[in-house]
Amino acid sequence: MCPFHSLYIRSSLNGLRRTKPASVAAATAPLLHRFGSRRGLIIQTLAEMVKLERLTDLDSGIVELKLDRPEAKNAIGNAMLQGLQNALKTIGNDSSTNVVVISSSVPRVFCAGADLKERKLMTTSEVRQFVNSLRSTFLSLEFLSVPTIAVIEGAALGGGLELALSCDLRVCGEESTFSLPETGLAIIPGAGGSQRLPRIVGRSAAKELIFTGRRINGKEALSMGLVSYCVPSGEAHAKAMHVARDINQKGPLAIRMAKQAIDTGTELAMSSALKVEEECYEQLLNTEDRLEGLAAFAEKRKPKYLGK
């Protein structure tokens, strides 16, 4: 087996989860469990800066992660970063999650990036530690075994855009704005933006955006492939939920294996990538879900997948 394969592919369907960075196991805040009719609040962390909700009934399997720090336009400081780490750890340990939707509770902003007021008070060593932690947290988000969808209404700037780039899909409103303005502060994107952006939009387009730090709107983001969908302002969440529900109806084990096959294979030569695809396919052959899919097709009914 190619040495890269073992990083991602597990031999048992009991844990179809990509290997995560060690830093994801940061100290966690106490968890508050509650459940409602359609939505059940799983956790609230650190003055409710990050909220995690499990949807129920027909939307069971979809989890929403909401940023809620209105006084700072969802700028990420140490407390909010810990909230993100707590939320990602909870999601990663929850095998019933099929899709994660990341959005903002603050009108006209997704995330304004790092909290520069807080950073101004940090020492050089503290800045380095914070940026390294932010980078590893976004890597943990990218490495979640289930699909992630960022819902962007308003500004996604700096670290906020890097957060969105760590998701599998991005849905935005037309009046959203995107920018990596770090070069204007005499630094570079440090939480993965300099690496993820060129992989998504291409090297030349990424260089132009990072070198100039200019802002683009939702329509331009769509034209360059930065987002998957651009819809009228105010409709991004509804569109993202439509996509999440479509994914949620598919075989959950197959979705996880598809994500692993794509993410692992695109970093390899074709011969090795096809081996990854074979290994992922093999893990699905003896599942109950595969047999259910075949039976439902033959009987012309909707399949009932159990993730087994």
Side-chain angles (χ1 to χ4, degrees), residues 15-262:
L16 293 179
R17 203 174 277 121
R18 296 167 69 188
T19 302
K20 300 178 182 180
S23 58
V24 74
T28 58
L31 305 185
L32 177 66
H33 293 261
R34 282 204 323 235
F35 297 93
S37 56
R38 179 178 176 275
R39 294 170 178 263
L41 188 60
I42 301 178
I43 66 171
Q44 293 179 303
T45 64
L46 300 166
E48 302 184 349
M49 290 180 187
V50 179
K51 298 179 180 178
L52 198 58
E53 296 178 300
R54 182 204 304 276
L55 307 192
T56 58
D57 297 337
L58 295 178
D59 289 332
S60 179
I62 300 175
V63 168
E64 285 203 71
L65 187 159
K66 291 188 177 182
L67 309 178
D68 190 13
R69 193 188 178 199
E71 73 282 0
K73 298 182 179 179
N74 287 339
I76 304 173
N78 278 307
M80 192 167 187
L81 178 58
Q82 185 177 341
L84 285 169
Q85 292 169 343
N86 295 343
L88 294 176
K89 182 177 181 181
T90 299
I91 292 170
N93 290 331
D94 182 8
S95 61
S96 67
T97 299
N98 297 329
V99 192
V100 178
V101 177
I102 300 179
S103 63
S104 167
S105 299
V106 182
R108 297 182 299 280
V109 65
F110 174 69
C111 176
D115 187 338
L116 297 183
K117 292 181 180 179
E118 184 176 298
R119 180 171 296 184
K120 188 177 180 180
L121 303 176
M122 295 180 180
T123 65
T124 300
S125 177
E126 289 170 337
V127 171
R128 180 183 298 110
Q129 182 178 356
F130 175 83
V131 174
N132 288 343
S133 183
L134 188 63
R135 185 185 303 115
S136 65
T137 299
F138 289 173
L139 188 62
S140 298
L141 170 59
E142 182 180 13
F143 272 39
L144 285 177
S145 63
V146 297
T148 53
I149 306 172
V151 182
I152 302 149
E153 291 278 11
L157 310 177
L161 178 51
E162 291 179 300
L163 170 62
L165 291 173
S166 303
C167 295
D168 297 304
L169 305 174
R170 287 156 293 282
V171 180
C172 76
E174 291 177 342
E175 296 181 7
S176 297
T177 56
F178 304 83
S179 175
L180 290 175
E182 285 84 354
T183 54
L185 297 171
I187 56 175
I188 68 171
S194 69
Q195 302 306 307
R196 291 190 179 94
L197 186 62
R199 284 166 166 78
I200 293 171
V201 304
R203 291 173 63 180
S204 181
K207 286 178 178 180
E208 189 269 334
L209 290 177
I210 292 174
F211 292 169
T212 66
R214 74 180 180 92
R215 294 192 181 194
I216 61 173
N217 61 26
K219 290 183 178 179
E220 188 172 357
L222 179 65
S223 70
M224 66 173 55
L226 178 57
V227 299
S228 304
Y229 299 96
C230 177
V231 297
S233 295
E235 298 181 13
H237 185 268
K239 179 62 179 179
M241 286 302 300
H242 176 80
V243 176
R245 288 173 180 132
D246 194 11
I247 295 171
N248 197 37
Q249 293 175 3
K250 306 303 187 293
L253 301 181
I255 292 295
R256 293 182 180 217
M257 284 291 95
K259 178 170 178 174
Q260 285 195 11
I262 295 168

